[in-house]
Amino acid sequence: MSKNFLICTPIKKSWPNDKKNNLFFVSESAVLGLKGIHDRYSNYTINDSRWINKKIFSKDFNFLIKIYEKYLAILSKELNKYHKKNYSLRFWRILIGPWLSTFVHIYFDRWQNIKSTIKKNKIDKCIFLNLDMNLFIPYDHKNFIYLSQNDLWNQFLYQKIIKIFLKKNKIQYKGILNQDINKELKNSILNKFYKKNYKTDLKNKIMKSFNYVNQKNYKFFLYNTYLGFKNELKLSLKTKQLPIFYIKENKSTKKKFDTKIRLRLSRLGSKKNLFEKHLIELLGSIFPKIFLENYSDLKTFSKITNIPQNPKVIFTSNSLWYDTKISYHVANLIEKKKSKLIQGQHGGAMGLVKHHWPEMHEIQISDHFLSWGWDKRKNKKIKKFFILKNLQKYNKKRENLLIPLKPRKRYFHSLESSSGIESYRLYIKNINLFLTKLNKQVINKTILRLPFNSLDVKDIDFYSNLNGKYKFHSKDNFNEACEKSKLIIHASNSTPLLETLSANIPTILILDKHQHPLRSECKKYFELLNENNIIFYKTDLAANFVNKVWSNDIENWWNKTKTQKAVKLFTEKFARKKNDIVKECYDFLKKV
């Protein structure tokens, strides 16, 4: 007799051997592709994300703000006691905020996946792997992000949650060899994204060469500004400094786990609220070592590393989200009231989508936030600025239709109401529907661009079966790929959209408005683009338009006075371009 098995990840040891059984996947992250081993079972069902319903997402977003703020305050007090400090809430927000918020969001997502799957279906069995918790305690936030995209780590997390909802007699345990554990732990999709090649090795060598100059007395701490290599070099030279492209990290020290503080942190949760109770229990157990036992690594890094020790201004765009040691150094400088923090926008969805956690966090921690053109009247921190990284437009032969593909990060980890919570299954299905409506003439010139050279088609081609039908390419960088294309099609409201519009390259966005809710002040701009055939809310209408203008009307459509007016109004608000962006940045730095 067949049984219903709960499946959390693609790890085959956690699946039943008998193919006569039925599989219930807690999310699409447990399925690797359109065709696979899951097809061999009697039946399988994939649980839909709770956040397909955007009204529920809005409610959850506000709930998670409260949870985060509550435990940020509680943990800040505990960490001050533990380290014998009296740091402000802002200090701890900069240092532990990125990890704490990401952990809370991930735990909530996995919690809801389990809860809804068990509630909707009769589950007979779930196979657990015997896993040691110590393997899953991250060193810092970057290490945690890599773990969050790892199958074994997610198996561990799901098992912790399943115990709360499933009876013991329905759980079956399996052993797993150490060699298999070590193999699985290295298997994060992010390892593929950031795989080094000869170009990156050469670039790293060039960047490291600047590190031999003493940078400790620099008045401006410019790091990961999002300006790009050349412009960051120019900006540094304007400030009479050499750029800080590379920061050498001190080695971590081996410390024993402080079980006493971890146990204390685990007991901080509300006993009345089941979610909070178990969230904090696990939080204490897998709290990053660098915030507790390895805290001295932060202090050592800040003191001995060749970085500015007393800068007037810190200007960064994305280093304070992932780099814990830099975050500590910056938090410490701000705490001593030595420096002002300028945070630059580094994502296209910022200022556009209804809910965006990283944007909210980065505005909170900064003294000045440089947007790409938008502002909020009530928030004086936000400065209407310009898009920091510009695409260059040259007069090359353009013949392709380019569709930039976003990477499939199988496991959710970024809380924002656009691509951050979008189902990849629906995203790639949308692209597939568009492609099937294009005529042969257009298809012959269509390029599906892989986002990273190291990725394979199978890392993208999920639930679509696009491989073999269309041309995939990733050798050119994004700028070069755009230069060879007479039309760019975006299927995601993200950074590349703003880059191509800002460069005035013929662009179309296909968007499901129900799955990508916008801020009320942005809607009129999107409707203006819709009226001028730059945004389409239905794939068939977009394909019909492309077929119509492809041969000789793209330039006529794009250069119409009405079309150009719509592009200008939109980019002035969300992707303002400045030819001399270095001068604008320098002038702003001097004023701070």
Side-chain angles (χ1 to χ4, degrees):
M1 185 177 173
S2 66
K3 291 183 178 179
N4 297 336
F5 277 78
L6 185 67
I7 308 295
C8 306
T9 67
I11 300 173
K12 296 303 176 281
K13 278 186 177 280
S14 67
W15 295 26
N17 294 324
D18 190 347
K19 303 297 187 293
K20 292 177 182 178
N21 291 305
N22 305 310
L23 307 183
F24 288 86
F25 295 102
V26 299
S27 80
E28 65 182 49
S29 59
V31 182
L32 293 177
L34 176 64
K35 298 294 181 183
I37 297 173
H38 56 278
D39 285 321
R40 300 174 194 171
Y41 287 82
S42 290
N43 193 23
Y44 70 89
T45 303
I46 301 175
N47 183 46
D48 283 328
S49 168
R50 169 185 175 88
W51 291 331
I52 285 177
N53 185 326
K54 293 303 179 287
K55 287 183 180 178
I56 290 176
F57 177 74
S58 288
K59 184 179 176 183
D60 289 345
F61 190 88
N62 293 325
F63 168 74
L64 291 170
I65 287 175
K66 291 175 184 176
I67 293 288
Y68 167 73
E69 291 295 342
K70 175 180 177 179
Y71 288 100
L72 176 66
I74 291 171
L75 290 168
S76 296
K77 288 179 182 177
E78 289 296 323
L79 290 169
N80 271 332
K81 283 181 194 174
Y82 181 69
H83 295 299
K84 296 176 180 159
K85 301 291 181 183
N86 189 30
Y87 289 138
S88 66
L89 187 65
R90 186 186 181 190
F91 174 92
W92 293 112
R93 189 183 296 277
I94 294 170
L95 183 59
I96 71 168
W99 175 81
L100 176 62
S101 59
T102 307
F103 174 75
V104 169
H105 302 160
I106 285 174
Y107 191 84
F108 184 82
D109 170 74
R110 311 304 190 263
W111 174 281
Q112 293 297 343
N113 287 343
I114 295 296
K115 187 179 176 181
S116 61
T117 308
I118 291 175
K119 186 179 179 180
K120 292 174 192 173
N121 309 286
K122 180 183 176 292
I123 303 298
D124 300 311
K125 286 285 179 183
C126 184
I127 297 171
F128 274 25
L129 304 177
N130 288 315
L131 300 171
D132 181 0
M133 183 186 286
N134 290 339
L135 292 168
F136 306 103
I137 302 173
Y139 172 70
D140 58 9
H141 184 46
K142 187 184 286 184
N143 183 212
F144 173 74
I145 290 294
Y146 272 77
L147 284 171
S148 74
Q149 296 300 309
N150 175 270
D151 291 325
L152 199 64
W153 185 89
N154 278 281
Q155 181 71 29
F156 157 77
L157 180 58
Y158 273 125
Q159 287 180 186
K160 285 285 182 185
I161 298 169
I162 290 168
K163 284 182 180 179
I164 303 161
F165 293 100
L166 207 61
K167 291 180 180 178
K168 287 183 180 179
N169 62 356
K170 293 187 176 185
I171 297 171
Q172 175 187 336
Y173 285 87
K174 266 189 186 179
I176 181 168
L177 298 173
N178 285 336
Q179 63 192 48
D180 292 332
I181 288 174
N182 291 331
K183 185 180 177 182
E184 288 288 351
L185 282 173
K186 294 175 183 176
N187 212 11
S188 170
I189 188 66
L190 295 181
N191 291 333
K192 285 190 175 184
F193 289 179
Y194 305 116
K195 187 178 179 181
K196 291 180 180 179
N197 54 40
Y198 77 94
K199 283 185 178 179
T200 54
D201 281 338
L202 179 62
K203 192 175 179 180
N204 286 340
K205 285 179 182 178
I206 294 170
M207 290 195 286
K208 284 179 183 180
S209 65
F210 290 102
N211 202 244
Y212 293 107
V213 176
N214 184 357
Q215 299 167 341
K216 290 190 174 185
N217 295 321
Y218 283 5
K219 291 181 180 179
F220 298 94
F221 187 7
L222 313 176
Y223 185 61
N224 282 349
T225 62
Y226 207 71
L227 287 166
F229 182 85
K230 289 181 181 177
N231 282 341
E232 197 157 318
L233 173 61
K234 287 178 183 177
L235 179 60
S236 298
L237 294 176
K238 264 187 171 291
T239 61
K240 298 179 181 178
Q241 300 175 178
L242 288 176
I244 304 172
F245 286 132
Y246 169 78
I247 295 176
K248 186 178 180 181
E249 286 198 23
N250 55 312
K251 289 183 179 180
S252 60
T253 53
K254 289 186 178 180
K255 297 285 182 73
K256 289 182 179 180
F257 290 117
D258 189 333
T259 53
K260 189 177 178 182
I261 180 62
R262 289 183 176 274
L263 188 62
R264 193 160 83 232
L265 294 180
S266 296
R267 290 173 176 169
L268 295 172
S270 168
K271 292 180 181 179
K272 293 179 182 178
N273 185 304
L274 191 66
F275 168 73
E276 281 187 52
K277 178 179 180 290
H278 290 283
L279 166 77
I280 301 303
E281 277 182 8
L282 185 61
L283 179 145
S285 301
I286 65 168
F287 207 70
K289 290 178 273 190
I290 202 163
F291 301 140
L292 294 175
E293 299 91 352
N294 282 73
Y295 188 76
S296 60
D297 292 351
L298 293 172
K299 295 192 285 186
T300 302
F301 169 83
S302 187
K303 285 180 182 177
I304 70 170
T305 306
N306 186 23
I307 49 177
Q309 297 294 310
N310 191 24
K312 176 189 173 187
V313 177
I314 303 156
F315 175 29
T316 186
S317 289
N318 51 8
S319 64
L320 301 186
W321 193 256
Y322 298 107
D323 199 324
T324 305
K325 288 180 178 177
I326 293 295
S327 296
Y328 171 81
H329 185 69
V330 168
N332 216 18
L333 290 171
I334 292 169
E335 191 74 7
K336 294 174 182 175
K337 295 182 173 56
K338 289 184 176 181
S339 311
K340 295 291 183 183
L341 174 60
I342 299 173
Q343 186 82 38
Q345 179 178 336
H346 57 91
M350 289 182 174
L352 290 170
V353 299
K354 192 171 183 179
H355 302 296
H356 200 298
W357 189 282
E359 174 200 311
M360 186 178 70
H361 168 78
E362 289 171 14
I363 291 170
Q364 274 186 305
I365 65 171
S366 65
D367 292 292
H368 304 281
F369 182 88
L370 304 183
S371 82
W372 292 352
W374 53 274
D375 64 359
K376 292 178 183 175
R377 290 179 184 177
K378 293 179 182 178
N379 197 327
K380 293 180 180 179
K381 284 185 180 183
I382 301 170
K383 162 76 174 173
K384 285 181 67 172
F385 209 63
F386 306 93
I387 190 166
L388 294 175
K389 196 173 183 180
N390 292 329
L391 287 179
Q392 300 300 314
K393 191 175 178 182
Y394 306 106
N395 294 318
K396 288 187 178 180
K397 184 180 178 183
R398 299 169 180 270
E399 56 181 10
N400 297 329
L401 181 143
L402 181 70
I403 304 179
L405 298 174
K406 71 176 185 179
R408 185 191 177 205
K409 294 180 181 178
R410 284 192 293 111
Y411 296 100
F412 155 81
H413 79 280
S414 180
L415 197 68
E416 51 101 345
S417 58
S418 185
S419 59
I421 60 166
E422 182 182 29
S423 161
Y424 198 89
R425 206 174 2 156
L426 296 178
Y427 164 78
I428 208 75
K429 182 183 177 182
N430 212 27
I431 292 172
N432 191 28
L433 287 171
F434 171 73
L435 290 168
T436 58
K437 299 289 183 181
L438 295 178
N439 63 39
K440 192 174 180 180
Q441 185 186 11
V442 182
I443 287 296
N444 288 339
K445 293 295 182 179
T446 296
I447 302 291
L448 299 173
R449 184 181 182 275
L450 296 173
F452 294 91
N453 285 328
S454 51
L455 289 182
D456 196 276
V457 175
K458 66 183 180 182
D459 297 314
I460 294 293
D461 197 13
F462 172 73
Y463 263 82
S464 57
N465 202 22
L466 300 177
N467 194 16
K469 296 181 184 177
Y470 308 104
K471 287 180 279 189
F472 286 82
H473 189 61
S474 64
K475 289 182 181 178
D476 296 328
N477 64 39
F478 184 54
N479 196 104
E480 291 167 338
C482 288
E483 276 304 301
K484 296 175 182 177
S485 306
K486 62 179 183 179
L487 181 61
I488 318 292
I489 305 290
H490 299 282
S492 183
N493 181 12
S494 54
T495 307
L497 168 72
L498 298 189
E499 288 181 330
T500 57
L501 283 174
S502 180
N504 204 20
I505 297 170
T507 297
I508 285 175
L509 170 66
I510 304 168
L511 194 71
D512 182 341
K513 63 165 67 175
H514 302 294
Q515 289 302 313
H516 296 263
L518 301 167
R519 292 175 199 183
S520 56
E521 60 268 28
C522 302
K523 289 179 181 177
K524 62 181 180 182
Y525 296 96
F526 273 70
E527 288 307 314
L528 188 61
L529 295 184
N530 175 239
E531 289 168 12
N532 288 278
N533 299 311
I534 298 167
I535 288 180
F536 288 88
Y537 298 119
K538 291 184 178 179
T539 53
D540 55 343
L541 294 179
N544 290 341
F545 180 77
V546 172
N547 289 334
K548 180 183 174 183
V549 301
W550 180 256
S551 295
N552 51 26
D553 279 341
I554 288 178
E555 291 298 322
N556 291 336
W557 153 67
W558 191 253
N559 291 320
K560 277 182 182 177
T561 303
K562 196 178 175 186
T563 308
Q564 282 297 297
K565 184 179 178 182
V567 171
K568 187 176 180 181
L569 285 170
F570 183 85
T571 54
E572 272 296 308
K573 184 71 176 177
F574 303 109
R576 296 170 78 202
K577 186 172 181 178
K578 200 74 174 179
N579 289 329
D580 196 349
I581 187 65
V582 173
K583 182 180 183 301
E584 292 295 329
C585 288
Y586 178 66
D587 289 345
F588 188 77
L589 290 175
K590 286 197 300 181
K591 291 177 189 174
V592 175

